[in-house]
C-alpha cells in the first residue's frame, strides 16, 4: 500500500492542491511548485463531461505536479465523493479523525481512492494496492494509517490558513506546506 497522489479540493470543486508521490513525480517537480502555466480556479474539476482538448491537457499537466492519469482518477473520485455527499450516503460519525473519515470512494485499475471531508475541504488520496487483503485486521490497520495521514495533512492545511498572507480559497503555493505533505507521504510510503 502506497500513496500515489493527493488532492485537496474546496466545497465547490476548486482544486487547492494536487501532488503525485510516485517515483516519476521527481520529474514533475522540475517545473517548480506548480509549473510555469496555470489554470484558473475550478478549471480542472469544471470539465463535468470529461472532454478536454489538447490545449487544456497541456495546461493541466504543467499546472500541477501530478501526472494526467492520476489527475483523471482524482477527478473521478471527486465526482464519486460529491455524489455520495449529495445523496446522503455518508454522514459524520464518531469524533476526531473518525468523524471526517469517508473511506473508500472509488476503485480503478490497481488504485483505490479514499476521502476525508471537513466543513470546507475535501481530501482525496489515490492508494496503489497491489495485494488486496481479505484480512479485516489488515484492512482496519490500513484505514487507521490513512486516517492518521489525512488528520496530519488537515493539521498542515489549518496551519497554512493561519498564515495572514494565505488566501483561504485559492491554490496552495506555500513551499512549507508542500514540503510538509511530501514528508508525510514519504513517511506513509516508508521512504
Amino acid at each position: 500500500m502506497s500513496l500515489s497522489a493527493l488532492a485537496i479540493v474546496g466545497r465547490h470543486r476548486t482544486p487547492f492542491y494536487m501532488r503525485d508521490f510516485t517515483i516519476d513525480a521527481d520529474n514533475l517537480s522540475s517545473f517548480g511548485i506548480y509549473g510555469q502555466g496555470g489554470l484558473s480556479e475550478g478549471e480542472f474539476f469544471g470539465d463535468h463531461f470529461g472532454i478536454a482538448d489538447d490545449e487544456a491537457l497541456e495546461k493541466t499537466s504543467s499546472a500541477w505536479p501530478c501526472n494526467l492519469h492520476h489527475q483523471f482518477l482524482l477527478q473521478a473520485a471527486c465526482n464519486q465523493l460529491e455524489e455520495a455527499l449529495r445523496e446522503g450516503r455518508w454522514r459524520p460519525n464518531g469524533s476526531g479523525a473518525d468523524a471526517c473519515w469517508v473511506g473508500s470512494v472509488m476503485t480503478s485499475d490497481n488504485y483505490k481512492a479514499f476521502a476525508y471531508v471537513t466543513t470546507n475541504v475535501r481530501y482525496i488520496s489515490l492508494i496503489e494496492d497491489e495485494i488486496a487483503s481479505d484480512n479485516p485486521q489488515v484492512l482496519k490497520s490500513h484505514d487507521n494509517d490513512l486516517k492518521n495521514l489525512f488528520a496530519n495533512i488537515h493539521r498542515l492545511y489549518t496551519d497554512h490558513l493561519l498564515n495572514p498572507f494565505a488566501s483561504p480559497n485559492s491554490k496552495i503555493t506555500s513551499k512549507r506546506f508542500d514540503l510538509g505533505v511530501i514528508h508525510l507521504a514519504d513517511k506513509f510510503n516508508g521512504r
Side-chain angles (χ1 to χ4, degrees), residues 2-7 19-22 66 70 74 124-127:
S2 66
L3 178 65
S4 296
L6 172 77
R19 177 164 277 287
D20 196 327
F21 300 103
T22 57
C66 187
H70 289 160
L74 288 167
I124 302 168
S125 67
L126 280 182
I127 303 295

Side-chain angles (χ1 to χ4, degrees), residues 100-186:
C100 301
W101 176 248
V102 176
S104 179
V105 291
M106 185 190 81
T107 303
S108 173
D109 301 335
N110 58 338
Y111 295 101
K112 278 189 174 182
F114 293 87
Y116 186 89
V117 176
T118 63
T119 307
N120 293 315
V121 181
R122 283 90 166 100
Y123 301 86
I124 302 168
S125 67
L126 280 182
I127 303 295
E128 187 172 9
D129 197 5
E130 296 88 20
I131 303 169
S133 176
D134 292 333
N135 185 342
Q137 292 175 335
V138 171
L139 293 175
K140 188 171 183 168
S141 171
H142 289 321
D143 282 356
N144 286 334
D145 291 343
L146 276 167
K147 286 178 196 176
N148 289 333
L149 174 70
F150 279 129
N152 287 327
I153 291 172
H154 179 61
R155 272 189 217 102
L156 275 175
Y157 180 72
T158 303
D159 289 345
H160 166 73
L161 290 180
L162 291 174
N163 179 347
F165 300 107
S167 181
N169 292 317
S170 64
K171 184 188 288 188
I172 300 170
T173 57
S174 165
K175 288 191 184 234
R176 181 178 181 183
F177 178 83
D178 191 49
L179 291 173
V181 171
I182 290 170
H183 172 73
L184 289 172
D186 286 348

Side-chain angles (χ1 to χ4, degrees), residues 18-115:
M18 198 178 318
R19 177 164 277 287
D20 196 327
F21 300 103
T22 57
I23 302 301
D24 297 332
D26 294 335
N27 298 333
L28 293 169
S29 65
S30 65
F31 290 111
I33 189 162
Y34 288 116
Q36 303 299 322
L39 294 174
S40 61
E41 281 190 10
E43 190 171 332
F44 175 73
F45 283 99
D47 184 13
H48 298 290
F49 300 106
I51 301 169
D53 59 6
D54 291 338
E55 185 178 321
L57 290 176
E58 254 179 60
K59 283 182 182 179
T60 303
S61 64
S62 67
W64 301 101
C66 187
N67 75 46
L68 285 176
H69 180 67
H70 289 160
Q71 288 184 35
F72 288 128
L73 290 174
L74 288 167
Q75 181 179 15
C78 185
N79 290 342
Q80 293 293 320
L81 175 61
E82 290 300 320
E83 186 177 312
L85 294 174
R86 187 175 45 253
E87 294 175 358
R89 288 185 277 154
W90 176 80
R91 294 271 187 251
N93 57 354
S95 62
D98 288 339
C100 301
W101 176 248
V102 176
S104 179
V105 291
M106 185 190 81
T107 303
S108 173
D109 301 335
N110 58 338
Y111 295 101
K112 278 189 174 182
F114 293 87

